[in-house]
Amino acid sequence: MPVTELSKDRAPPEFAAFVSSIIESGTPADQMGAVRSRLKELHLESYDCLSLALMDAIATHVAKASGKLAA
């Protein structure tokens, strides 16, 4: 049976999805390499729906448009 974030059962995380979304909260895109490296050290692969560079570019555009990052 799968375990979800709303489940009473707990399981350790196995991957990190949508890592690029932290850019939308103001994390500079040039820090993403370090973030992904740290996740890898924790044995968590980062996954996004498109290439990592493209997801970072999209998230950066969104962050700039919302004012979270300087344009």
Side-chain angles (χ1 to χ4, degrees):
M1 174 158 72
V3 177
T4 68
E5 65 272 6
L6 299 178
S7 175
K8 291 182 189 209
D9 298 322
R10 295 287 175 227
E14 297 176 6
F15 66 95
F18 303 106
V19 176
S20 297
S21 65
I22 68 170
I23 295 171
E24 295 176 30
S25 66
T27 301
D30 63 359
Q31 293 182 10
M32 294 308 296
V35 170
R36 289 188 179 101
S37 290
R38 180 64 181 134
L39 289 170
K40 190 167 241 169
E41 288 173 8
L42 297 171
H43 305 286
L44 296 171
E45 289 297 323
S46 62
Y47 292 98
D48 280 299
C49 58
L50 302 171
S51 75
L52 301 180
L54 181 55
M55 291 302 297
D56 288 355
I58 292 168
T60 298
H61 175 76
V62 171
K64 287 179 178 180
S66 72
K68 295 286 183 178
L69 288 177

mmCIF file of all heavy atoms in Angstrom, residues 17-35:
data_model
loop_
_atom_site.group_PDB
_atom_site.id
_atom_site.type_symbol
_atom_site.label_atom_id
_atom_site.label_comp_id
_atom_site.label_asym_id
_atom_site.label_seq_id
_atom_site.Cartn_x
_atom_site.Cartn_y
_atom_site.Cartn_z
ATOM 1 N N ALA A 17 10.717 15.883 -5.455
ATOM 2 C CA ALA A 17 10.057 16.316 -6.689
ATOM 3 C C ALA A 17 9.903 17.834 -6.718
ATOM 4 O O ALA A 17 9.805 18.478 -5.684
ATOM 5 C CB ALA A 17 8.689 15.658 -6.802
ATOM 6 N N PHE A 18 9.897 18.371 -7.911
ATOM 7 C CA PHE A 18 9.656 19.794 -8.139
ATOM 8 C C PHE A 18 10.617 20.669 -7.331
ATOM 9 O O PHE A 18 10.236 21.665 -6.744
ATOM 10 C CB PHE A 18 8.202 20.163 -7.875
ATOM 11 C CG PHE A 18 7.246 19.369 -8.710
ATOM 12 C CD1 PHE A 18 6.493 18.354 -8.153
ATOM 13 C CD2 PHE A 18 7.131 19.599 -10.067
ATOM 14 C CE1 PHE A 18 5.640 17.597 -8.936
ATOM 15 C CE2 PHE A 18 6.284 18.851 -10.856
ATOM 16 C CZ PHE A 18 5.525 17.846 -10.282
ATOM 17 N N VAL A 19 11.874 20.269 -7.302
ATOM 18 C CA VAL A 19 12.897 20.993 -6.559
ATOM 19 C C VAL A 19 13.005 22.430 -7.054
ATOM 20 O O VAL A 19 13.222 23.355 -6.263
ATOM 21 C CB VAL A 19 14.246 20.248 -6.652
ATOM 22 C CG1 VAL A 19 15.351 21.023 -5.971
ATOM 23 C CG2 VAL A 19 14.113 18.853 -6.041
ATOM 24 N N SER A 20 12.822 22.654 -8.334
ATOM 25 C CA SER A 20 12.919 24.003 -8.901
ATOM 26 C C SER A 20 11.926 24.967 -8.279
ATOM 27 O O SER A 20 12.135 26.182 -8.324
ATOM 28 C CB SER A 20 12.696 23.959 -10.415
ATOM 29 O OG SER A 20 13.691 23.203 -11.039
ATOM 30 N N SER A 21 10.866 24.466 -7.678
ATOM 31 C CA SER A 21 9.849 25.358 -7.122
ATOM 32 C C SER A 21 10.383 26.209 -5.981
ATOM 33 O O SER A 21 9.794 27.249 -5.670
ATOM 34 C CB SER A 21 8.623 24.565 -6.672
ATOM 35 O OG SER A 21 8.953 23.710 -5.596
ATOM 36 N N ILE A 22 11.513 25.838 -5.367
ATOM 37 C CA ILE A 22 12.050 26.705 -4.313
ATOM 38 C C ILE A 22 12.541 28.023 -4.883
ATOM 39 O O ILE A 22 12.625 29.008 -4.154
ATOM 40 C CB ILE A 22 13.133 26.008 -3.460
ATOM 41 C CG1 ILE A 22 14.410 25.746 -4.242
ATOM 42 C CG2 ILE A 22 12.586 24.754 -2.807
ATOM 43 C CD1 ILE A 22 15.575 25.277 -3.381
ATOM 44 N N ILE A 23 12.828 28.069 -6.162
ATOM 45 C CA ILE A 23 13.199 29.336 -6.810
ATOM 46 C C ILE A 23 12.029 30.306 -6.730
ATOM 47 O O ILE A 23 12.214 31.502 -6.519
ATOM 48 C CB ILE A 23 13.612 29.110 -8.281
ATOM 49 C CG1 ILE A 23 14.889 28.256 -8.356
ATOM 50 C CG2 ILE A 23 13.819 30.442 -9.006
ATOM 51 C CD1 ILE A 23 15.238 27.799 -9.765
ATOM 52 N N GLU A 24 10.825 29.777 -6.859
ATOM 53 C CA GLU A 24 9.629 30.631 -6.833
ATOM 54 C C GLU A 24 9.414 31.294 -5.480
ATOM 55 O O GLU A 24 8.681 32.268 -5.378
ATOM 56 C CB GLU A 24 8.404 29.822 -7.244
ATOM 57 C CG GLU A 24 8.475 29.351 -8.677
ATOM 58 C CD GLU A 24 7.316 28.467 -9.074
ATOM 59 O OE1 GLU A 24 6.210 28.629 -8.531
ATOM 60 O OE2 GLU A 24 7.528 27.598 -9.937
ATOM 61 N N SER A 25 10.068 30.766 -4.432
ATOM 62 C CA SER A 25 9.945 31.398 -3.115
ATOM 63 C C SER A 25 11.103 32.339 -2.830
ATOM 64 O O SER A 25 11.200 32.891 -1.739
ATOM 65 C CB SER A 25 9.845 30.325 -2.024
ATOM 66 O OG SER A 25 11.057 29.599 -1.934
ATOM 67 N N GLY A 26 12.018 32.506 -3.821
ATOM 68 C CA GLY A 26 13.084 33.479 -3.684
ATOM 69 C C GLY A 26 14.496 32.912 -3.650
ATOM 70 O O GLY A 26 15.456 33.664 -3.561
ATOM 71 N N THR A 27 14.657 31.581 -3.706
ATOM 72 C CA THR A 27 15.997 30.994 -3.751
ATOM 73 C C THR A 27 16.626 31.301 -5.106
ATOM 74 O O THR A 27 16.033 31.005 -6.134
ATOM 75 C CB THR A 27 15.926 29.464 -3.556
ATOM 76 O OG1 THR A 27 15.309 29.192 -2.295
ATOM 77 C CG2 THR A 27 17.305 28.832 -3.605
ATOM 78 N N PRO A 28 17.821 31.906 -5.146
ATOM 79 C CA PRO A 28 18.464 32.202 -6.426
ATOM 80 C C PRO A 28 18.748 30.928 -7.224
ATOM 81 O O PRO A 28 19.174 29.913 -6.658
ATOM 82 C CB PRO A 28 19.768 32.900 -6.029
ATOM 83 C CG PRO A 28 19.505 33.438 -4.657
ATOM 84 C CD PRO A 28 18.588 32.439 -4.015
ATOM 85 N N ALA A 29 18.522 30.981 -8.516
ATOM 86 C CA ALA A 29 18.707 29.812 -9.383
ATOM 87 C C ALA A 29 20.142 29.306 -9.352
ATOM 88 O O ALA A 29 20.371 28.108 -9.497
ATOM 89 C CB ALA A 29 18.287 30.147 -10.812
ATOM 90 N N ASP A 30 21.102 30.198 -9.102
ATOM 91 C CA ASP A 30 22.493 29.747 -9.088
ATOM 92 C C ASP A 30 22.826 28.884 -7.869
ATOM 93 O O ASP A 30 23.914 28.318 -7.779
ATOM 94 C CB ASP A 30 23.461 30.920 -9.208
ATOM 95 C CG ASP A 30 23.386 31.912 -8.057
ATOM 96 O OD1 ASP A 30 22.563 31.736 -7.136
ATOM 97 O OD2 ASP A 30 24.158 32.877 -8.083
ATOM 98 N N GLN A 31 21.903 28.747 -6.929
ATOM 99 C CA GLN A 31 22.089 27.876 -5.766
ATOM 100 C C GLN A 31 21.514 26.479 -5.976
ATOM 101 O O GLN A 31 21.681 25.606 -5.131
ATOM 102 C CB GLN A 31 21.459 28.503 -4.525
ATOM 103 C CG GLN A 31 22.160 29.763 -4.072
ATOM 104 C CD GLN A 31 21.546 30.335 -2.817
ATOM 105 O OE1 GLN A 31 20.721 29.727 -2.158
ATOM 106 N NE2 GLN A 31 21.957 31.548 -2.499
ATOM 107 N N MET A 32 20.863 26.268 -7.104
ATOM 108 C CA MET A 32 20.191 24.985 -7.323
ATOM 109 C C MET A 32 21.167 23.813 -7.413
ATOM 110 O O MET A 32 20.856 22.709 -6.970
ATOM 111 C CB MET A 32 19.303 25.053 -8.567
ATOM 112 C CG MET A 32 18.126 26.002 -8.417
ATOM 113 S SD MET A 32 17.137 25.702 -6.938
ATOM 114 C CE MET A 32 16.511 24.073 -7.285
ATOM 115 N N GLY A 33 22.348 24.028 -7.949
ATOM 116 C CA GLY A 33 23.341 22.959 -8.002
ATOM 117 C C GLY A 33 23.685 22.464 -6.600
ATOM 118 O O GLY A 33 23.750 21.253 -6.351
ATOM 119 N N ALA A 34 23.875 23.403 -5.679
ATOM 120 C CA ALA A 34 24.182 23.041 -4.293
ATOM 121 C C ALA A 34 23.007 22.335 -3.630
ATOM 122 O O ALA A 34 23.197 21.367 -2.881
ATOM 123 C CB ALA A 34 24.571 24.282 -3.501
ATOM 124 N N VAL A 35 21.804 22.812 -3.900
ATOM 125 C CA VAL A 35 20.614 22.179 -3.333
ATOM 126 C C VAL A 35 20.501 20.737 -3.832
ATOM 127 O O VAL A 35 20.301 19.805 -3.046
ATOM 128 C CB VAL A 35 19.333 22.976 -3.692
ATOM 129 C CG1 VAL A 35 18.076 22.202 -3.333
ATOM 130 C CG2 VAL A 35 19.346 24.338 -3.012
#
